[in-house]
Amino acid sequence: MEQLEILHGVVQAVVFQNPENGYTILRLTAEDGETVTIVGTIPMASVGERLMVTGRWVSHPSYGRQFEAEFLERLMPQEAEDILAYLSSRAVKGIGPATAKKLVDAFGSRTLDVLESNPEQIAAIDGFSMKKALAVSEAFKRQVSVRRLIEFLSAHGLPADLAVRLYRAYGVSAIDAVREDPYLMADPIFGADFAHVDAFAMELGVSSDDEGRIDAGILFELSHNLGNGHVFIPEDKLTDVSAQLLDLPRDLIEIGIDRLNVQQRIVIDTLLGRRLCYLPEWHEAELFVAERLKSLAAQKDEPLRHADRLLRRVADCCSVTFVEKQETAILAAATQHVLAVTGGPGTGKTTTMAGILELYDILGYKTLLAAPTGRAAKRLTDLTGREAATIHRLLQSQYDPESGNVLFVHDEAEPLDADALIVDEASMIDLMLMSALLRAMRPGCRLILVGDPDQLPSVGAGNVFSDILRSGAVETVRLTEIFRQARESLIVMNAHAVNRGEMPRLDVRDRDFFFLPAKTGENVVQTVQGLCATRLPQRMGIAPEEIQVLSPTRKGVTGTGNLNKQLQAVLNPPAEGKHEKTYGDFTYRVGDRVMQIRNNYDLTWRKADDSAVGTGVFNGDIGVVRDIDYAAETLTICFDDRVAEYGYDMLSELEPAYAMTVHKSQGSEYRAVILAALGGSPFLLTRSILYTAVTRARELLIVVGSEDTIAAMVQNDKQQRRYSGLKLRLEDA
């Protein structure tokens, strides 16, 4: 192996850069005038900056001789010419070539010092206001701080995209905060992998049996398993998994659990004689939801006088004839203060909701409509003709950066102005959201929960709707009759067949459910591309934007990762003048369909017609890239009628959405759905996933793949158990 060498030089070009891990390929002009290729972890490298790189020469089979960086020291450019090149490369947000020239013409080699320490001098330049001068100064200082933080993290094997989240929380003190308590990075706010954080802490000299390490490991297991749907973990299991995670004896973990309990950082409760460990806010939420639902269930009004006459009036207003179960639900909504209405596709849930809404109008109740996701809320608006909102928007959610918690404007102190609340797609509501919803209901307000219990459970922790139904504590009306019009739909009939554990009919070609066999993953991809790009648009008049491709999995040839790239290639290929931005392994283009993948409570949006502004874009919201501004380093995304701007440092919150997992499609309905079904993990090839996928289609469903895979999904009725105490607490009425 060659000896380590040191190269000094100026960056001439950045050939490739991965923003997630900092891996970079760049061209460096060394002091002897030779231009060489440097490869390695050099996050946020910019043209014009000076580097002192320690590494060794290697020979790449395709690209020839390269210098592989192992260590580096970065020096800000000193000469005016290099400063101009550095700033012209858009290394600093808000500064492009023209602005860079103005700055360097005015301040020469002092430019960077002025940017950092004397922005008021910039305001004297023609074209600069004080506001703009302060903005570019802040952008420069932020860029320097974030880059320093990225270098620090990368040097210790931690992901570069963690830097932005840490900087938002701690600013220029982020490195000091991480050194003082490395385990803070494992907090869900930051989302770092515990193993990486733990290795870093060990480098800093933290001992394996340090109390802080033990406490962090236990808390990490509780937080991490919220993502698996668990509200709590039994104490014995928490002890086992934490001991395995930390590679420590169980007795040290048991002492740690007791310590955290005394410190009130966890709560230990007992149900059915078993000790259960909760994070405090989740324990409080579970107790509150159980008590509030029991209280609502205990409130019952007298039966309506002249109920038959009222039902006829409601039916006339809705222009329908209700069946017996629907009438039962409508009348129950008048006497119960909490009611669950359930049923599969085609059983009349929406018609029943419309009837309840009409009855409440007659009774003079002010009723609000809500759903867990934007798509579900929009669908509810379309079906009822009344405005519906997401639960987050209804409650006016806000993010508290100090605590990392979500706050809601509407709560016990400022409840919703409503006599009744109807919530659709109730199976998607997690425990914390149900707690917030119940807190925002004023005394006397009624709650109607409508949903399909056989859908996948909520993405967030808990099994709220299922627990409510199984507890028997809440009045429930189950709609079972499939209406004649729905019986004509093979989508509906196949969904019910799947739910019963029967194979769907795959041999019918003249209705709304089609099966197209494919032997290989490549065949599946080619068929899906053809359906989206030409066959459905040309033969059935279904535009590509009305088609949603689903897959049970992210990985593999038929996973959403590959499908998104292949669909983009035929639906939105590169073109001259079409702006692009590469992030990770995907290149976003103007016109791409994208999805928000985590709740962002403080992201500002405006209505497309500029009639209003607001905050909050939420997990599952679907939008389209309308603009990529290279100078401002932003992507403009249009979510239906709302427009939001994403800085490049926010792109980890987006992913392409030509294809999405079945889990991500919950609560949405699409004119046409294409399901890629060819092999995969048994944990993902389940009956509930197939059922959920089928019920996402409104007019057309096409399954592309293997009949064996469909059969395996129908037969696999295993559902992951979720640790939730809500059912037991409700049964304790």
Side-chain angles (χ1 to χ4, degrees), residues 417-629:
D417 180 20
D419 302 305
L421 184 58
I422 300 176
V423 183
D424 196 14
E425 297 286 356
S427 63
M428 296 183 65
I429 304 176
D430 65 34
L431 179 66
M432 204 57 79
L433 191 57
M434 178 58 80
S435 174
L437 189 68
L438 290 169
R439 290 180 193 280
M441 289 171 52
R442 69 188 183 192
C445 183
R446 301 163 188 268
L447 176 63
I448 311 297
L449 299 171
V450 182
D452 183 346
D454 297 311
Q455 300 285 354
L456 291 168
S458 59
V459 175
N463 208 7
V464 175
F465 194 52
S466 177
D467 284 349
I468 290 172
L469 299 179
R470 291 184 298 118
S471 73
V474 169
E475 183 77 16
T476 300
V477 179
R478 291 176 170 83
L479 305 175
T480 55
E481 181 177 339
I482 304 174
F483 286 85
R484 182 184 61 78
Q485 185 176 359
R487 288 198 300 270
E488 295 173 359
S489 165
L490 198 55
I491 292 174
V492 171
M493 300 312 291
N494 273 341
H496 284 278
V498 167
N499 209 22
R500 293 192 300 268
E502 301 169 4
M503 275 293 286
R505 290 195 62 187
L506 304 177
D507 57 345
V508 179
R509 288 297 188 99
D510 60 347
R511 293 169 78 176
D512 56 2
F513 187 113
F514 296 88
F515 173 68
L516 301 179
K519 293 182 178 180
T520 68
E522 288 74 16
N523 293 153
V524 171
V525 171
Q526 290 169 4
T527 302
V528 171
Q529 284 179 309
L531 287 167
C532 292
T534 56
R535 291 167 66 178
L536 294 186
Q538 293 176 7
R539 298 180 188 179
M540 302 189 71
I542 301 176
E545 56 268 24
E546 297 179 297
I547 305 166
Q548 184 59 59
V549 177
L550 301 179
S551 173
T553 181
R554 292 179 175 276
K555 299 178 181 179
V557 178
T558 60
T560 57
N562 183 55
L563 282 168
N564 271 309
K565 292 178 183 177
Q566 303 306 322
L567 287 167
Q568 184 198 43
V570 295
L571 297 176
N572 190 27
E576 187 176 351
K578 183 183 289 186
H579 285 196
E580 299 182 343
K581 170 60 182 173
T582 298
Y583 184 83
D585 61 353
F586 192 82
T587 299
Y588 292 96
R589 296 190 189 110
V590 171
D592 277 340
R593 186 191 306 174
V594 295
M595 175 169 52
Q596 176 78 11
I597 59 172
R598 64 172 63 101
N599 290 336
N600 186 327
Y601 298 93
D602 53 0
L603 178 60
T604 301
W605 52 262
R606 57 178 172 80
K607 288 281 191 179
D609 60 3
D610 291 323
S611 61
V613 295
T615 58
V617 179
F618 303 105
N619 188 3
D621 284 356
I622 304 293
V624 175
V625 180
R626 292 301 185 203
D627 183 43
I628 298 177
D629 189 326

Side-chain angles (χ1 to χ4, degrees), residues 142 159 161 365 397 399 573 661:
R142 182 179 187 276
D161 60 0
Y365 296 166
S397 58
Y399 179 70
T661 62

